[in-house]
Amino acid sequence: MAEIRKIIFIKNAVETLGYFSEQIARELERNGYETCFIDYERMYESMDVMLHFLDREETALVTFNFIGLRGEAVFQTESGRSIWQEENLPVLNILVDHPLYYHSCLKEAGERMRVFCVDREHVGYVRRFYPGVKVEFLPLAGNELLFSHGDGEHGTHRADVPEPVLYGQRTFDLVFAANYVSMEMLGEKVKALDDDYRIFYRRITEDLIADPAQSVDAVMERHIRNELGAVPEEQLCAAMSGMIWIDLFVRSYFREKVVQTLADAGIIVRVFGADWEKIHCKKPQNVRTSGGKVNSAACVQAMRDARIALNVMPWFKDGAHDRVFTAMLQGTAALTDDSRYLREECRDGENICFYSLRALQQLPDQVVSLLEDPVRMAELAERGYRMAEKRHRWKNRAGLLMQTLCNIDKYN
């Protein structure tokens, strides 16, 4: 087999994932790979470029969340197979959500696919329920500002990123870069269910809210087995994949709760994302909005101008969200709920600040205490920057992907 030196990426299907892809591509280019982007906003033009770029023996696809792998018509050939199958390309597929969102796709994952999960519990889930799928752990990394200095024929070339803004010159005390999803909107999805299902779902969400250290699939499984007894693995997996609303609900519940708690305590929270004007709290004037959805670069820029960047984990119990390492790479103090992986990588009070979802009443005092000691916060932010710059850039994650590309044919 020829050595893989050409990599296809996809952008503008999901803006955030395209931003991740550009940072990975930048690092691969620095290591001698050629890259090409399929652009969902210029689909047919970029597909033509990609087809000229593709060399069957030397090319692989790197994508996220099965984008390009879900039977999209543009990627289908006359034979009824995808172009990736037709050309027998290796596929590196990074899942940034829980695998239960991709049940049908994982069942059909081919021999040439490698799956990467951003939480070690997710890796265990895939190995348990989809034993034929080759899967590894690849934690999310921090985003950096990318400034284009010219686009190549096939890829995107980027300049080096600027140094963090001096801590004492920051504009915002506390920022949170995330969208808002209202409980009312999520509740509408359950109203169509019959009473038994509504009660069943409510019990699971109440269990997770009472003890947020639990993983969502573990709680789902416990309740399913309590209700139905010994359920075969395949049936259990299919049942959980039909309950993704629970994951969405509990994630959104705590995202809302954290911001409510801070705002109602008189702390101004600068939110960068969509629909925060819809939040219900006693002091909505303390939730300062960006005016709508913002892109990844704007989120990075907001963190560069903040003393503290808030994170609420999307129910990753053994992984990390990119917001944490993005904050650190901007020289900003990261304030987040914890996970086993973050506890291993970081030290509370030294290069990161942890709060507890089980003790949110303590969060406002924690924020005030941090802001009242700017010297300590600046030192913590600097230590976080040095740690993340060394270990948690997309440059670091690209190293594992390159290692996989070098060895991908050894395991087929």
Side-chain angles (χ1 to χ4, degrees):
M1 296 291 292
E3 183 181 6
I4 294 172
R5 301 307 299 173
K6 293 185 170 187
I7 310 297
I8 297 168
F9 292 93
I10 297 173
K11 66 180 180 180
N12 290 324
V14 177
E15 188 274 333
T16 304
L17 304 181
Y19 202 81
F20 295 169
S21 296
E22 288 189 313
Q23 290 171 97
I24 296 170
R26 179 183 64 175
E27 189 59 31
L28 294 184
E29 289 170 7
R30 286 174 172 171
N31 283 272
Y33 288 83
E34 295 180 62
T35 67
C36 174
F37 276 82
I38 298 171
D39 186 346
Y40 266 53
E41 293 182 353
R42 299 184 302 113
M43 178 62 81
Y44 291 99
E45 178 184 348
S46 61
M47 278 291 291
D48 185 59
V49 172
M50 184 275 289
L51 291 171
H52 285 88
F53 170 83
L54 189 153
D55 185 322
R56 179 172 185 160
E57 297 296 320
E58 298 181 2
T59 309
L61 170 69
V62 175
T63 188
F64 288 82
N65 291 357
F66 284 93
I67 294 172
L69 305 170
R70 298 184 178 187
E72 297 96 329
V74 70
F75 301 121
Q76 298 303 109
T77 65
E78 293 181 358
S79 69
R81 306 171 72 203
S82 73
I83 188 171
W84 325 118
Q85 293 170 321
E86 198 76 13
E87 298 294 334
N88 197 32
L89 297 190
V91 175
L92 277 56
N93 181 21
I94 305 165
L95 305 185
V96 301
D97 300 307
H98 196 292
L100 62 85
Y101 285 80
Y102 306 105
H103 174 59
S104 59
C105 295
L106 284 165
K107 287 199 303 181
E108 302 299 325
E111 282 293 316
R112 298 284 276 168
M113 182 184 294
R114 298 294 181 277
V115 170
F116 298 87
C117 293
V118 299
D119 185 296
R120 289 182 294 207
E121 286 192 355
H122 298 176
V123 174
Y125 185 95
V126 172
R127 288 176 177 165
R128 175 184 174 185
F129 292 109
Y130 312 95
V133 175
K134 301 174 182 68
V135 60
E136 293 184 61
F137 176 53
L138 184 79
L140 287 169
N143 289 328
E144 302 170 77
L145 279 179
L146 300 177
F147 296 107
S148 176
H149 62 76
D151 294 333
E153 181 183 357
H154 304 305
T156 303
H157 303 277
R158 299 290 182 171
D160 288 334
V161 298
E163 291 294 316
V165 178
L166 291 175
Y167 198 80
Q169 298 177 2
R170 306 290 176 99
T171 302
F172 306 127
D173 283 337
L174 180 71
V175 302
F176 183 34
N179 295 321
Y180 174 72
V181 180
S182 71
M183 294 296 98
E184 289 87 349
M185 188 188 80
L186 290 170
E188 289 295 322
K189 298 181 180 295
V190 183
K191 288 183 178 179
L193 300 174
D194 61 37
D195 289 343
D196 288 343
Y197 274 104
R198 283 201 298 271
I199 293 169
F200 183 63
Y201 278 20
R202 187 177 71 245
R203 287 173 180 166
I204 297 174
T205 56
E206 288 174 350
D207 193 344
L208 286 162
I209 290 168
D211 184 5
Q214 304 174 98
S215 61
V216 67
D217 55 280
V219 177
M220 286 180 181
E221 178 176 355
R222 184 168 66 247
H223 282 263
I224 290 170
R225 293 197 183 282
N226 286 343
E227 191 78 15
L228 302 176
V231 180
E233 291 282 272
E234 185 175 344
Q235 183 180 341
L236 174 64
C237 180
M240 289 193 292
S241 73
M243 298 163 64
I244 59 175
W245 175 88
I246 291 171
D247 182 67
L248 292 169
F249 180 89
V250 74
R251 288 163 55 170
S252 299
Y253 172 87
F254 277 103
R255 182 175 293 188
E256 179 182 76
K257 202 72 173 176
V258 167
V259 175
Q260 282 176 342
T261 299
L262 291 169
D264 289 344
I267 295 171
I268 294 173
V269 185
R270 294 275 183 172
V271 288
F272 290 81
D275 294 334
W276 283 104
E277 66 278 1
K278 300 176 183 177
I279 191 173
H280 299 294
C281 58
K282 297 174 185 176
K283 298 180 180 179
Q285 68 273 17
N286 290 331
V287 182
R288 308 287 175 84
T289 71
S290 59
K293 189 173 183 178
V294 297
N295 63 22
S296 297
C299 291
V300 175
Q301 189 64 61
M303 291 187 191
R304 284 174 59 79
D305 205 16
R307 295 174 182 85
I308 300 173
L310 178 67
N311 176 57
V312 185
M313 207 76 75
W315 227 254
F316 297 165
K317 300 307 175 185
D318 202 1
H321 194 273
D322 54 280
R323 277 187 294 262
V324 176
F325 299 133
T326 298
M328 291 178 169
L329 289 172
Q330 312 321 308
T332 304
L335 175 63
T336 181
D337 54 321
D338 69 354
S339 72
R340 289 188 296 280
Y341 174 72
L342 280 177
R343 287 280 181 184
E344 291 175 12
E345 291 293 309
C346 309
R347 294 189 178 182
D348 189 19
E350 181 176 318
N351 52 27
I352 197 170
C353 297
F354 290 126
Y355 67 87
S356 174
L357 294 177
R358 284 183 276 193
L360 286 181
Q361 71 277 6
Q362 299 174 12
L363 181 58
D365 287 342
Q366 187 176 359
V367 170
V368 170
S369 176
L370 295 174
L371 292 173
E372 286 179 344
D373 196 347
V375 174
R376 181 169 71 92
M377 276 296 90
E379 292 173 349
L380 181 147
E382 173 62 23
R383 288 190 292 268
Y385 170 77
R386 290 200 301 266
M387 187 273 290
E389 197 277 336
K390 182 178 180 181
R391 295 175 55 84
H392 297 295
R393 300 171 65 191
W394 282 108
K395 170 183 178 179
N396 304 103
R397 310 303 184 243
L400 177 58
L401 298 179
M402 287 187 285
Q403 181 181 346
T404 303
L405 289 168
C406 289
N407 297 310
I408 200 161
D409 288 309
K410 292 182 181 179
Y411 306 107
N412 286 328

